[in-house]
Amino acid sequence: MNIFLKEFKERGFFYQCTGEENLSQLLDKEKINAYIGFDCTAESLHVGSLLQIMCLRLLQKHGHRPIVLLGGGQLELEIHQEKIKLELFYQKKKLKKILRILKKY
């Protein structure tokens, strides 16, 4: 079993997977990219977000590439609706504030 997958399981991050052997082989022969996207509508992240970040950090520890996306992407997709435009403006202001806070860490 792949060393990352083994540690992932030991930490309790893994329950079941279709094609686990194939995944293990892929992780042995290639470095993969993995991403998490956060739609920052709150001023802080919650414990569920922390769990996802911990998973990405473990992946990075084993030489893979984590990607974290922050933004109001869902709002931008709906910008054609008039009522969303004002909300998008405020969401962007809130996102900038959140990014300033996160950069401290």
Side-chain angles (χ1 to χ4, degrees):
M1 175 179 291
N2 173 271
I3 194 165
F4 161 75
L5 211 48
K6 183 176 186 294
E7 186 173 349
F8 200 64
K9 280 184 166 189
E10 288 171 354
R11 290 176 179 254
F13 295 146
F14 185 101
Y15 177 67
Q16 69 184 37
C17 172
T18 301
E20 184 178 337
E21 185 58 37
N22 292 338
L23 176 60
S24 182
Q25 290 172 6
L26 175 69
L27 292 168
D28 280 336
K29 71 177 186 176
E30 290 182 31
K31 298 300 180 193
I32 64 167
N33 296 331
Y35 86 94
I36 297 172
F38 296 102
D39 192 6
C40 300
T41 54
E43 291 190 16
S44 64
L45 299 175
H46 52 76
V47 72
S49 303
L50 177 61
L51 180 64
Q52 295 173 64
I53 292 168
M54 290 170 60
C55 291
L56 276 189
R57 177 60 187 104
L58 183 61
L59 198 71
Q60 182 181 36
K61 175 184 162 188
H62 288 278
H64 302 283
R65 183 175 182 219
I67 300 167
V68 178
L69 304 172
L70 300 174
Q74 291 176 351
L75 290 175
E76 289 183 31
L77 292 175
E78 298 174 7
I79 196 165
H80 63 277
Q81 297 175 356
E82 287 299 318
K83 66 180 183 175
I84 297 296
K85 288 183 181 178
L86 184 58
E87 188 175 335
L88 180 60
F89 171 75
Y90 290 112
Q91 290 298 334
K92 284 185 176 183
K93 283 178 67 175
K94 185 182 270 189
L95 177 60
K96 287 179 182 178
K97 179 181 176 185
I98 293 167
L99 289 173
R100 280 195 305 275
I101 293 168
L102 291 176
K103 283 181 181 180
K104 293 177 186 178
Y105 301 99

